[in-house]
Amino acid sequence: MTEKKRRSESQLQAQCVLWYHNEHYQNPRNLWATFNEGRDVNTKRTMGLLEGVSDLLYFCPIYGLTAIEMKFEGKSHETKRLISQAEWILEVPKRGGFCDSLEMFQQIIRGKSQGIDPQAVINYCKQQKTKTITWKNERFKNFIRV
């Protein structure tokens, strides 16, 4: 994974968070990041880091906790990590999914979508025979959960 690709996913997440804080400035505490990646992973684990937890968590007064796992076109991911992220979304929060654009993020926040169905991601990953998968927006466009 190149630094450029890593920055791109981070930039998408930052763009989404900035939009949220500009639009929903009266509820800034309803959206937060988990920072499950980066350096000092072992130290973070001793402090409660849990593999698979989504990048962003959003508390919606109507729907409850919503998980948002950010993905960026062209970035490679370990297949087993994608499965772990999808399983966490299915098991823990009330709602959630994978998100690969600002527009999709806006739909999630507005309650019009949950993002890309984590079960579709699991099904796709289990069909692959590779250790890594490159995220392609087109691959999952028909698996948006409402």
Side-chain angles (χ1 to χ4, degrees), residues 9-62:
E9 192 164 292
S10 298
Q11 288 173 344
L12 173 60
Q13 182 171 329
Q15 180 184 26
C16 292
V17 170
L18 180 62
W19 172 84
Y20 175 83
H21 286 290
N22 285 334
E23 293 292 316
H24 300 275
Y25 54 88
Q26 68 275 24
N27 296 316
R29 293 181 181 179
N30 288 13
L31 179 72
W32 63 95
T34 60
F35 299 108
N36 264 357
E37 298 175 8
R39 297 168 47 173
D40 301 325
V41 172
N42 288 333
T43 301
K44 289 179 182 179
R45 282 190 181 124
T46 63
M47 297 174 66
L49 178 139
L50 182 62
E51 185 177 333
V53 176
S54 296
D55 295 316
L56 293 171
L57 298 173
Y58 170 62
F59 178 76
C60 174
I62 297 169

Short mmCIF file of all heavy atoms in Angstrom, two decimals, residues 9-62:
data_model
loop_
_atom_site.label_atom_id
_atom_site.label_comp_id
_atom_site.label_asym_id
_atom_site.label_seq_id
_atom_site.Cartn_x
_atom_site.Cartn_y
_atom_site.Cartn_z
N GLU A 9 -7.53 7.82 1.12
CA GLU A 9 -8.63 7.37 1.96
C GLU A 9 -8.80 8.31 3.15
O GLU A 9 -9.91 8.66 3.53
CB GLU A 9 -8.39 5.94 2.43
CG GLU A 9 -9.62 5.31 3.04
CD GLU A 9 -9.50 3.80 3.15
OE1 GLU A 9 -9.49 3.13 2.10
OE2 GLU A 9 -9.42 3.31 4.28
N SER A 10 -7.69 8.74 3.71
CA SER A 10 -7.74 9.70 4.82
C SER A 10 -8.34 11.02 4.36
O SER A 10 -9.11 11.65 5.10
CB SER A 10 -6.34 9.95 5.37
OG SER A 10 -5.80 8.77 5.89
N GLN A 11 -8.02 11.43 3.16
CA GLN A 11 -8.57 12.68 2.63
C GLN A 11 -10.08 12.57 2.43
O GLN A 11 -10.81 13.52 2.70
CB GLN A 11 -7.87 13.08 1.33
CG GLN A 11 -6.47 13.57 1.55
CD GLN A 11 -5.71 13.80 0.26
OE1 GLN A 11 -6.09 13.33 -0.80
NE2 GLN A 11 -4.61 14.53 0.36
N LEU A 12 -10.55 11.42 1.94
CA LEU A 12 -11.99 11.22 1.79
C LEU A 12 -12.67 11.30 3.16
O LEU A 12 -13.69 11.98 3.31
CB LEU A 12 -12.29 9.86 1.14
CG LEU A 12 -13.76 9.46 1.09
CD1 LEU A 12 -14.58 10.47 0.28
CD2 LEU A 12 -13.90 8.05 0.52
N GLN A 13 -12.10 10.65 4.15
CA GLN A 13 -12.68 10.70 5.49
C GLN A 13 -12.69 12.12 6.02
O GLN A 13 -13.69 12.58 6.58
CB GLN A 13 -11.91 9.78 6.44
CG GLN A 13 -12.49 9.74 7.84
CD GLN A 13 -11.86 8.68 8.70
OE1 GLN A 13 -11.45 7.62 8.21
NE2 GLN A 13 -11.80 8.92 9.99
N ALA A 14 -11.58 12.85 5.84
CA ALA A 14 -11.51 14.24 6.30
C ALA A 14 -12.54 15.11 5.59
O ALA A 14 -13.18 15.97 6.22
CB ALA A 14 -10.11 14.79 6.09
N GLN A 15 -12.73 14.89 4.30
CA GLN A 15 -13.72 15.64 3.54
C GLN A 15 -15.13 15.39 4.10
O GLN A 15 -15.93 16.32 4.26
CB GLN A 15 -13.65 15.22 2.07
CG GLN A 15 -14.63 15.92 1.16
CD GLN A 15 -14.56 15.36 -0.26
OE1 GLN A 15 -14.17 14.22 -0.50
NE2 GLN A 15 -14.94 16.19 -1.23
N CYS A 16 -15.42 14.15 4.43
CA CYS A 16 -16.73 13.79 4.98
C CYS A 16 -16.93 14.42 6.36
O CYS A 16 -18.00 14.98 6.65
CB CYS A 16 -16.87 12.27 5.06
SG CYS A 16 -16.96 11.47 3.45
N VAL A 17 -15.91 14.35 7.20
CA VAL A 17 -16.00 14.92 8.55
C VAL A 17 -16.17 16.44 8.47
O VAL A 17 -16.99 17.03 9.19
CB VAL A 17 -14.78 14.53 9.40
CG1 VAL A 17 -14.73 15.31 10.71
CG2 VAL A 17 -14.80 13.03 9.67
N LEU A 18 -15.43 17.09 7.58
CA LEU A 18 -15.56 18.54 7.41
C LEU A 18 -16.97 18.90 6.97
O LEU A 18 -17.58 19.83 7.51
CB LEU A 18 -14.53 19.05 6.40
CG LEU A 18 -14.54 20.54 6.13
CD1 LEU A 18 -14.23 21.33 7.40
CD2 LEU A 18 -13.54 20.88 5.03
N TRP A 19 -17.51 18.16 6.00
CA TRP A 19 -18.88 18.43 5.55
C TRP A 19 -19.85 18.27 6.74
O TRP A 19 -20.72 19.12 6.95
CB TRP A 19 -19.29 17.46 4.43
CG TRP A 19 -20.75 17.60 4.10
CD1 TRP A 19 -21.32 18.51 3.26
CD2 TRP A 19 -21.83 16.83 4.65
NE1 TRP A 19 -22.69 18.35 3.26
CE2 TRP A 19 -23.03 17.32 4.11
CE3 TRP A 19 -21.90 15.77 5.56
CZ2 TRP A 19 -24.27 16.79 4.43
CZ3 TRP A 19 -23.14 15.25 5.87
CH2 TRP A 19 -24.30 15.76 5.31
N TYR A 20 -19.68 17.20 7.51
CA TYR A 20 -20.57 16.96 8.64
C TYR A 20 -20.52 18.14 9.62
O TYR A 20 -21.55 18.65 10.05
CB TYR A 20 -20.20 15.66 9.37
CG TYR A 20 -21.04 15.47 10.61
CD1 TYR A 20 -22.31 14.92 10.52
CD2 TYR A 20 -20.59 15.90 11.86
CE1 TYR A 20 -23.10 14.77 11.65
CE2 TYR A 20 -21.39 15.76 12.99
CZ TYR A 20 -22.64 15.20 12.87
OH TYR A 20 -23.43 15.07 13.98
N HIS A 21 -19.33 18.57 9.98
CA HIS A 21 -19.20 19.65 10.97
C HIS A 21 -19.71 20.99 10.44
O HIS A 21 -20.21 21.79 11.22
CB HIS A 21 -17.76 19.75 11.48
CG HIS A 21 -17.43 18.63 12.42
ND1 HIS A 21 -17.97 18.51 13.69
CD2 HIS A 21 -16.64 17.54 12.27
CE1 HIS A 21 -17.53 17.42 14.26
NE2 HIS A 21 -16.72 16.81 13.42
N ASN A 22 -19.64 21.19 9.13
CA ASN A 22 -20.21 22.41 8.55
C ASN A 22 -21.73 22.36 8.50
O ASN A 22 -22.40 23.36 8.71
CB ASN A 22 -19.65 22.66 7.15
CG ASN A 22 -18.23 23.16 7.18
OD1 ASN A 22 -17.80 23.78 8.15
ND2 ASN A 22 -17.49 22.89 6.12
N GLU A 23 -22.28 21.18 8.23
CA GLU A 23 -23.74 21.03 8.10
C GLU A 23 -24.43 20.77 9.44
O GLU A 23 -25.58 21.13 9.63
CB GLU A 23 -24.06 19.89 7.13
CG GLU A 23 -23.67 20.16 5.71
CD GLU A 23 -24.50 21.27 5.08
OE1 GLU A 23 -25.73 21.28 5.26
OE2 GLU A 23 -23.90 22.12 4.40
N HIS A 24 -23.76 20.09 10.32
CA HIS A 24 -24.37 19.65 11.58
C HIS A 24 -23.59 20.19 12.78
O HIS A 24 -23.35 19.47 13.75
CB HIS A 24 -24.44 18.11 11.62
CG HIS A 24 -25.24 17.53 10.52
ND1 HIS A 24 -26.60 17.39 10.59
CD2 HIS A 24 -24.88 17.11 9.28
CE1 HIS A 24 -27.05 16.88 9.45
NE2 HIS A 24 -26.02 16.71 8.64
N TYR A 25 -23.21 21.44 12.68
CA TYR A 25 -22.36 22.05 13.71
C TYR A 25 -23.02 22.05 15.08
O TYR A 25 -22.34 22.11 16.09
CB TYR A 25 -21.98 23.48 13.31
CG TYR A 25 -23.14 24.36 12.99
CD1 TYR A 25 -23.80 25.07 13.99
CD2 TYR A 25 -23.61 24.47 11.69
CE1 TYR A 25 -24.89 25.87 13.70
CE2 TYR A 25 -24.70 25.26 11.40
CZ TYR A 25 -25.34 25.96 12.39
OH TYR A 25 -26.42 26.74 12.11
N GLN A 26 -24.34 21.95 15.15
CA GLN A 26 -25.02 21.93 16.45
C GLN A 26 -24.88 20.58 17.14
O GLN A 26 -25.13 20.47 18.33
CB GLN A 26 -26.49 22.34 16.31
CG GLN A 26 -27.37 21.36 15.56
CD GLN A 26 -27.35 21.51 14.05
OE1 GLN A 26 -26.41 22.03 13.46
NE2 GLN A 26 -28.38 21.03 13.39
N ASN A 27 -24.46 19.52 16.41
CA ASN A 27 -24.30 18.18 16.99
C ASN A 27 -22.91 17.61 16.69
O ASN A 27 -22.78 16.49 16.21
CB ASN A 27 -25.35 17.22 16.41
CG ASN A 27 -26.75 17.62 16.78
OD1 ASN A 27 -27.00 17.96 17.93
ND2 ASN A 27 -27.66 17.58 15.83
N PRO A 28 -21.83 18.33 17.00
CA PRO A 28 -20.50 17.84 16.60
C PRO A 28 -20.09 16.56 17.32
O PRO A 28 -19.28 15.80 16.81
CB PRO A 28 -19.57 18.99 16.98
CG PRO A 28 -20.28 19.70 18.09
CD PRO A 28 -21.75 19.59 17.74
N ARG A 29 -20.67 16.27 18.47
CA ARG A 29 -20.28 15.07 19.23
C ARG A 29 -20.94 13.80 18.72
O ARG A 29 -20.67 12.72 19.24
CB ARG A 29 -20.61 15.27 20.70
CG ARG A 29 -19.77 16.34 21.33
CD ARG A 29 -20.07 16.49 22.77
NE ARG A 29 -19.25 17.55 23.34
CZ ARG A 29 -19.31 17.93 24.58
NH1 ARG A 29 -20.16 17.35 25.41
NH2 ARG A 29 -18.53 18.89 25.02
N ASN A 30 -21.82 13.92 17.74
CA ASN A 30 -22.51 12.73 17.23
C ASN A 30 -21.70 11.95 16.21
O ASN A 30 -22.11 10.88 15.78
CB ASN A 30 -23.86 13.13 16.62
CG ASN A 30 -24.86 13.52 17.68
OD1 ASN A 30 -24.53 13.73 18.83
ND2 ASN A 30 -26.11 13.63 17.29
N LEU A 31 -20.54 12.48 15.78
CA LEU A 31 -19.69 11.79 14.82
C LEU A 31 -18.26 11.77 15.37
O LEU A 31 -17.74 12.81 15.77
CB LEU A 31 -19.70 12.52 13.47
CG LEU A 31 -18.82 11.90 12.38
CD1 LEU A 31 -19.42 10.59 11.87
CD2 LEU A 31 -18.63 12.89 11.23
N TRP A 32 -17.65 10.58 15.40
CA TRP A 32 -16.28 10.50 15.88
C TRP A 32 -15.53 9.39 15.14
O TRP A 32 -16.13 8.49 14.58
CB TRP A 32 -16.22 10.30 17.39
CG TRP A 32 -16.83 9.04 17.91
CD1 TRP A 32 -16.16 7.87 18.17
CD2 TRP A 32 -18.20 8.79 18.21
NE1 TRP A 32 -17.04 6.93 18.64
CE2 TRP A 32 -18.29 7.47 18.67
CE3 TRP A 32 -19.36 9.57 18.15
CZ2 TRP A 32 -19.51 6.89 19.05
CZ3 TRP A 32 -20.56 9.00 18.54
CH2 TRP A 32 -20.63 7.69 18.98
N ALA A 33 -14.20 9.50 15.17
CA ALA A 33 -13.32 8.53 14.52
C ALA A 33 -12.75 7.57 15.56
O ALA A 33 -12.66 7.89 16.73
CB ALA A 33 -12.17 9.27 13.82
N THR A 34 -12.36 6.37 15.10
CA THR A 34 -11.82 5.37 16.00
C THR A 34 -10.30 5.23 15.93
O THR A 34 -9.70 4.74 16.86
CB THR A 34 -12.45 3.99 15.73
OG1 THR A 34 -12.17 3.62 14.39
CG2 THR A 34 -13.94 4.03 15.99
N PHE A 35 -9.68 5.62 14.84
CA PHE A 35 -8.23 5.56 14.66
C PHE A 35 -7.66 4.18 14.97
O PHE A 35 -6.81 4.02 15.82
CB PHE A 35 -7.52 6.65 15.48
CG PHE A 35 -7.96 8.02 15.08
CD1 PHE A 35 -8.78 8.77 15.91
CD2 PHE A 35 -7.58 8.55 13.87
CE1 PHE A 35 -9.21 10.04 15.53
CE2 PHE A 35 -8.00 9.82 13.48
CZ PHE A 35 -8.81 10.55 14.31
N ASN A 36 -8.15 3.19 14.24
CA ASN A 36 -7.72 1.81 14.42
C ASN A 36 -6.49 1.45 13.61
O ASN A 36 -6.13 0.29 13.55
CB ASN A 36 -8.86 0.85 14.02
CG ASN A 36 -9.64 0.43 15.22
OD1 ASN A 36 -9.32 0.78 16.34
ND2 ASN A 36 -10.68 -0.34 14.99
N GLU A 37 -5.88 2.41 12.95
CA GLU A 37 -4.72 2.12 12.11
C GLU A 37 -3.55 2.97 12.56
O GLU A 37 -3.67 3.80 13.45
CB GLU A 37 -5.05 2.42 10.65
CG GLU A 37 -6.17 1.57 10.11
CD GLU A 37 -6.57 1.94 8.70
OE1 GLU A 37 -5.89 2.77 8.08
OE2 GLU A 37 -7.58 1.41 8.23
N GLY A 38 -2.43 2.73 11.91
CA GLY A 38 -1.27 3.57 12.18
C GLY A 38 -0.23 2.89 13.04
O GLY A 38 -0.22 1.67 13.21
N ARG A 39 0.60 3.70 13.62
CA ARG A 39 1.71 3.21 14.43
C ARG A 39 1.23 2.83 15.83
O ARG A 39 0.15 3.18 16.25
CB ARG A 39 2.77 4.28 14.50
CG ARG A 39 3.34 4.58 13.12
CD ARG A 39 4.18 5.79 13.06
NE ARG A 39 5.15 5.85 14.16
CZ ARG A 39 6.08 6.75 14.26
NH1 ARG A 39 6.20 7.66 13.35
NH2 ARG A 39 6.89 6.76 15.28
N ASP A 40 2.07 2.12 16.53
CA ASP A 40 1.82 1.73 17.92
C ASP A 40 0.55 0.89 18.09
O ASP A 40 -0.19 1.05 19.05
CB ASP A 40 1.76 2.96 18.83
CG ASP A 40 3.03 3.78 18.81
OD1 ASP A 40 4.11 3.17 18.68
OD2 ASP A 40 2.93 5.01 18.90
N VAL A 41 0.30 -0.01 17.14
CA VAL A 41 -0.90 -0.83 17.20
C VAL A 41 -0.92 -1.68 18.47
O VAL A 41 -1.96 -1.81 19.12
CB VAL A 41 -1.04 -1.70 15.93
CG1 VAL A 41 -2.17 -2.69 16.07
CG2 VAL A 41 -1.25 -0.83 14.71
N ASN A 42 0.22 -2.23 18.86
CA ASN A 42 0.26 -3.06 20.07
C ASN A 42 -0.09 -2.24 21.31
O ASN A 42 -0.82 -2.70 22.19
CB ASN A 42 1.61 -3.75 20.22
CG ASN A 42 1.79 -4.86 19.21
OD1 ASN A 42 0.82 -5.45 18.75
ND2 ASN A 42 3.03 -5.13 18.84
N THR A 43 0.42 -1.03 21.39
CA THR A 43 0.07 -0.16 22.51
C THR A 43 -1.42 0.16 22.49
O THR A 43 -2.09 0.12 23.52
CB THR A 43 0.88 1.16 22.46
OG1 THR A 43 2.27 0.83 22.50
CG2 THR A 43 0.53 2.08 23.60
N LYS A 44 -1.94 0.44 21.31
CA LYS A 44 -3.36 0.74 21.18
C LYS A 44 -4.22 -0.46 21.59
O LYS A 44 -5.27 -0.29 22.20
CB LYS A 44 -3.70 1.16 19.74
CG LYS A 44 -3.16 2.52 19.37
CD LYS A 44 -3.50 2.84 17.93
CE LYS A 44 -2.95 4.17 17.48
NZ LYS A 44 -3.28 4.46 16.08
N ARG A 45 -3.76 -1.67 21.27
CA ARG A 45 -4.51 -2.87 21.67
C ARG A 45 -4.63 -2.99 23.18
O ARG A 45 -5.67 -3.35 23.71
CB ARG A 45 -3.87 -4.12 21.09
CG ARG A 45 -4.19 -4.33 19.65
CD ARG A 45 -3.74 -5.69 19.15
NE ARG A 45 -4.06 -5.80 17.74
CZ ARG A 45 -3.18 -6.08 16.80
NH1 ARG A 45 -1.93 -6.34 17.12
NH2 ARG A 45 -3.55 -6.14 15.54
N THR A 46 -3.55 -2.68 23.88
CA THR A 46 -3.60 -2.75 25.34
C THR A 46 -4.51 -1.68 25.92
O THR A 46 -4.96 -1.79 27.05
CB THR A 46 -2.20 -2.61 25.98
OG1 THR A 46 -1.67 -1.33 25.69
CG2 THR A 46 -1.26 -3.71 25.50
N MET A 47 -4.80 -0.66 25.11
CA MET A 47 -5.68 0.42 25.56
C MET A 47 -7.11 0.26 25.04
O MET A 47 -7.95 1.12 25.25
CB MET A 47 -5.11 1.77 25.11
CG MET A 47 -3.75 2.06 25.73
SD MET A 47 -2.98 3.54 25.08
CE MET A 47 -4.10 4.78 25.67
N GLY A 48 -7.39 -0.87 24.36
CA GLY A 48 -8.75 -1.15 23.94
C GLY A 48 -9.02 -1.17 22.46
O GLY A 48 -10.16 -1.36 22.05
N LEU A 49 -8.01 -1.00 21.62
CA LEU A 49 -8.21 -1.07 20.18
C LEU A 49 -8.80 -2.43 19.82
O LEU A 49 -8.38 -3.46 20.36
CB LEU A 49 -6.88 -0.88 19.45
CG LEU A 49 -6.94 -0.99 17.93
CD1 LEU A 49 -6.07 0.08 17.30
CD2 LEU A 49 -6.52 -2.36 17.46
N LEU A 50 -9.79 -2.43 18.97
CA LEU A 50 -10.45 -3.66 18.57
C LEU A 50 -10.44 -3.73 17.05
O LEU A 50 -10.94 -2.83 16.38
CB LEU A 50 -11.89 -3.67 19.09
CG LEU A 50 -12.72 -4.90 18.79
CD1 LEU A 50 -12.09 -6.14 19.43
CD2 LEU A 50 -14.13 -4.70 19.30
N GLU A 51 -9.87 -4.80 16.52
CA GLU A 51 -9.79 -4.97 15.08
C GLU A 51 -11.19 -5.04 14.47
O GLU A 51 -12.09 -5.66 15.01
CB GLU A 51 -9.03 -6.25 14.73
CG GLU A 51 -8.80 -6.42 13.26
CD GLU A 51 -7.99 -7.65 12.92
OE1 GLU A 51 -7.19 -8.09 13.76
OE2 GLU A 51 -8.17 -8.17 11.82
N GLY A 52 -11.35 -4.35 13.35
CA GLY A 52 -12.60 -4.40 12.62
C GLY A 52 -13.55 -3.25 12.90
O GLY A 52 -14.49 -3.03 12.16
N VAL A 53 -13.31 -2.50 13.97
CA VAL A 53 -14.19 -1.37 14.30
C VAL A 53 -14.11 -0.34 13.17
O VAL A 53 -13.03 -0.04 12.66
CB VAL A 53 -13.82 -0.72 15.65
CG1 VAL A 53 -14.66 0.50 15.92
CG2 VAL A 53 -13.98 -1.74 16.77
N SER A 54 -15.25 0.19 12.77
CA SER A 54 -15.32 1.11 11.64
C SER A 54 -14.56 2.41 11.88
O SER A 54 -14.36 2.83 13.01
CB SER A 54 -16.78 1.43 11.34
OG SER A 54 -17.46 0.27 10.92
N ASP A 55 -14.18 3.05 10.77
CA ASP A 55 -13.42 4.30 10.83
C ASP A 55 -14.18 5.41 11.54
O ASP A 55 -13.62 6.16 12.33
CB ASP A 55 -13.09 4.79 9.41
CG ASP A 55 -12.17 3.83 8.68
OD1 ASP A 55 -11.19 3.36 9.29
OD2 ASP A 55 -12.43 3.56 7.49
N LEU A 56 -15.46 5.54 11.22
CA LEU A 56 -16.29 6.59 11.81
C LEU A 56 -17.52 5.96 12.45
O LEU A 56 -18.08 4.99 11.94
CB LEU A 56 -16.76 7.58 10.74
CG LEU A 56 -15.69 8.45 10.10
CD1 LEU A 56 -16.27 9.22 8.91
CD2 LEU A 56 -15.10 9.41 11.11
N LEU A 57 -17.92 6.53 13.57
CA LEU A 57 -19.16 6.13 14.23
C LEU A 57 -20.03 7.36 14.35
O LEU A 57 -19.55 8.44 14.71
CB LEU A 57 -18.87 5.53 15.61
CG LEU A 57 -18.01 4.27 15.58
CD1 LEU A 57 -17.63 3.85 16.99
CD2 LEU A 57 -18.71 3.14 14.85
N TYR A 58 -21.29 7.18 14.02
CA TYR A 58 -22.24 8.29 14.02
C TYR A 58 -23.43 7.89 14.89
O TYR A 58 -24.02 6.83 14.70
CB TYR A 58 -22.70 8.59 12.60
CG TYR A 58 -23.86 9.55 12.51
CD1 TYR A 58 -23.73 10.85 12.98
CD2 TYR A 58 -25.06 9.17 11.94
CE1 TYR A 58 -24.79 11.74 12.90
CE2 TYR A 58 -26.12 10.05 11.85
CZ TYR A 58 -25.98 11.33 12.34
OH TYR A 58 -27.04 12.21 12.25
N PHE A 59 -23.75 8.73 15.85
CA PHE A 59 -24.93 8.48 16.66
C PHE A 59 -26.07 9.31 16.11
O PHE A 59 -26.07 10.53 16.18
CB PHE A 59 -24.73 8.81 18.14
CG PHE A 59 -25.98 8.58 18.92
CD1 PHE A 59 -26.37 7.29 19.25
CD2 PHE A 59 -26.80 9.63 19.28
CE1 PHE A 59 -27.56 7.05 19.93
CE2 PHE A 59 -27.99 9.40 19.96
CZ PHE A 59 -28.37 8.11 20.29
N CYS A 60 -27.06 8.63 15.56
CA CYS A 60 -28.26 9.27 15.02
C CYS A 60 -29.37 9.13 16.06
O CYS A 60 -29.65 8.02 16.50
CB CYS A 60 -28.67 8.60 13.72
SG CYS A 60 -30.23 9.21 13.06
N PRO A 61 -29.98 10.23 16.47
CA PRO A 61 -31.04 10.14 17.47
C PRO A 61 -32.20 9.22 17.05
O PRO A 61 -32.84 8.61 17.90
CB PRO A 61 -31.52 11.58 17.61
CG PRO A 61 -30.38 12.41 17.15
CD PRO A 61 -29.68 11.60 16.10
N ILE A 62 -32.43 9.07 15.76
CA ILE A 62 -33.53 8.23 15.26
C ILE A 62 -33.11 6.77 15.15
O ILE A 62 -33.82 5.87 15.58
CB ILE A 62 -34.03 8.74 13.90
CG1 ILE A 62 -34.60 10.15 14.05
CG2 ILE A 62 -35.07 7.79 13.30
CD1 ILE A 62 -34.89 10.85 12.74
#
